[in-house]
Amino acid sequence: MESSKTDVLIIGAGPVGLFAVFELGLFDMKCRLIDILDRPGGQCAELYPEKPIYDIPAWPSISAQGLVDKLMEQIAPFKPEFSFNRMVSGLEKLEDGTFRVTTDEDEVIEAKVVVIAAGGGSFQPKRPPIPDIEAYEGSSVFYSVRRMEEFRGHDLVIVGGGDSALDWTLNLQPVAKSVTLVHRRPEFRAAPDSVNKMYAMQEMKQLDFQVGQVTGLKGSDGQLSSATIKGPDGDVEIPCTRMLPFFGLTMKLGPIADWGLNLHENLIPVDTEKFETSVPGIFAVGDINWYPGKLKLILSGFHEVALMAQAAKKIVSPGERIVFQYTTSSSSLQKKLGVAD
Amino acid sequence: MTKLSFVAFDGTRFEVEAENGSTVMENAIRNAVPGIEAECGGACACATCHVYVDETWTDIVGEPEAMEEDMLDFAYDVRPNSRLSCQIKVRDELDGLVVQVPERQG
């Protein structure tokens, strides 16, 4: 079990979470960021890295990935620590006021302040629009491969047309009893080499590829027995005891919803002085928070973290006087940024 | 102004006046047409503004580009006349366009 301590734990490494490191860093607070993705940037990196953003002050146009890169450069002097590929699960307030946060990978992080900068929520696999699929999840239907042995000897149906679908089709073919790849069209979003390999294996009858969409499942007690595929020539029913759908990612609030914070339509209400939630010491900034007049702009998130940092400082260093300073003229701030003469 | 009609899944019709250059999705959101979610805000990154273009209009509206076609893989009940409404720009030739909203978005 990994464990670590930090002044501030930031949940979400999107643009607002990253800039929080800067504002908190100016007040000497150390930060750890946790994110379910494998890299910083949140939606900017995952959904639209190449799209230009036009409303970042002083950047007439900057790509979403470009903004993330610049933010990483800007916060580098504060040496933030990152826990990627992790989702927060539990939160507990200890007697001395410290928060103890656990993750789905059994990591434990202790922090004096928690900042939720989770945007639209954590990215999770999208449930495909197949009736009753919920009944089979976790027993016959899986959204990722944790152990290949789960699929040994099974009639496996893989649904999707991206790299995940193609890679697992090729990798699980030797393990499963049969593999059928289902995709709604003969073109793929995957690496051409994988697609060629798949077609070659189909040629040799080592697997089957069906053009179509899965419209129904049959089975009982969570155990799948067959899947109905609607193709260009009508419906076909194929044996299926394991299914792996790869339909991309969607965003969900996740376990944060169970932390006892007040919620407003899946958003977290905060005050507009400190951006603190209904639990003292837990702040929410960026797209995930709500207050009268809230605008979901990166710009607004940047403003929010500046104010939040003042309030966080009072918790992390109680009794210490907070001096308002400008980075243009303060030699102490410039020292922290590593730009002092 | 260009006239657009949205037919919601329950059959309710929404007639709107759209500005050329705006997207069909933007007009759906502005007029609160139910069933168009547009989670990503029009970045062609989510497939939650999926519509069916009325059969009489498919030729004029045209085919999706490769990126949109890729994104349609994530939509629900995709048909030959499926499009992502954030990728259809309103223009004079689309005056009178009718699009149907699917049962659900993904």
Side-chain angles (χ1 to χ4, degrees), chain B residues 70-86:
Chain B
D70 282 355
M71 207 37 72
L72 275 169
D73 286 347
F74 303 121
Y76 171 72
D77 192 12
V78 180
R79 302 179 193 164
N81 57 338
S82 287
R83 289 291 310 264
L84 294 181
S85 55
C86 73

Side-chain angles (χ1 to χ4, degrees), chain A residues 29-42:
Chain A
M29 287 174 274
K30 292 292 292 173
C31 299
R32 175 176 284 274
L33 297 98
I34 182 163
D35 201 291
I36 197 155
L37 298 177
D38 59 2
R39 59 194 187 284

Side-chain angles (χ1 to χ4, degrees), chain A residues 43 47-48 51 126-131 160-162 183-185 187-189 213 230 246-251, chain B residues 39-40 42-48 66-79 87 104-106:
Chain A
Q43 288 184 48
L47 288 185
Y48 51 90
K51 294 264 171 186
K126 209 173 192 176
R127 172 182 285 157
I130 303 170
H183 182 45
R184 72 173 182 96
R185 58 195 173 117
E187 294 84 34
F188 290 86
R189 305 182 307 280
Q213 299 173 70
K230 186 175 143 196
F246 294 106
F247 273 73
L249 302 169
T250 184
M251 288 174 285
Chain B
E39 238 170 50
C40 79
C44 195
C46 75
T48 60
M67 182 183 172
E68 180 186 341
E69 191 71 75
D70 282 355
M71 207 37 72
L72 275 169
D73 286 347
F74 303 121
Y76 171 72
D77 192 12
V78 180
R79 302 179 193 164
Q87 301 301 305
R104 56 173 162 154
Q105 299 286 348

Side-chain angles (χ1 to χ4, degrees), chain A residues 2 10 12-14 18 32-42 45 68 72 75 80-88 103-105 107 109:
Chain A
E2 284 175 67
I10 301 171
L18 294 176
R32 175 176 284 274
L33 297 98
I34 182 163
D35 201 291
I36 197 155
L37 298 177
D38 59 2
R39 59 194 187 284
V68 174
M72 287 298 283
I75 66 174
E81 294 171 310
F82 291 91
S83 299
F84 289 121
N85 299 307
R86 307 277 160 89
M87 181 164 72
V88 290
T103 76
D104 57 343
E105 296 285 325
E107 184 182 356
I109 303 160

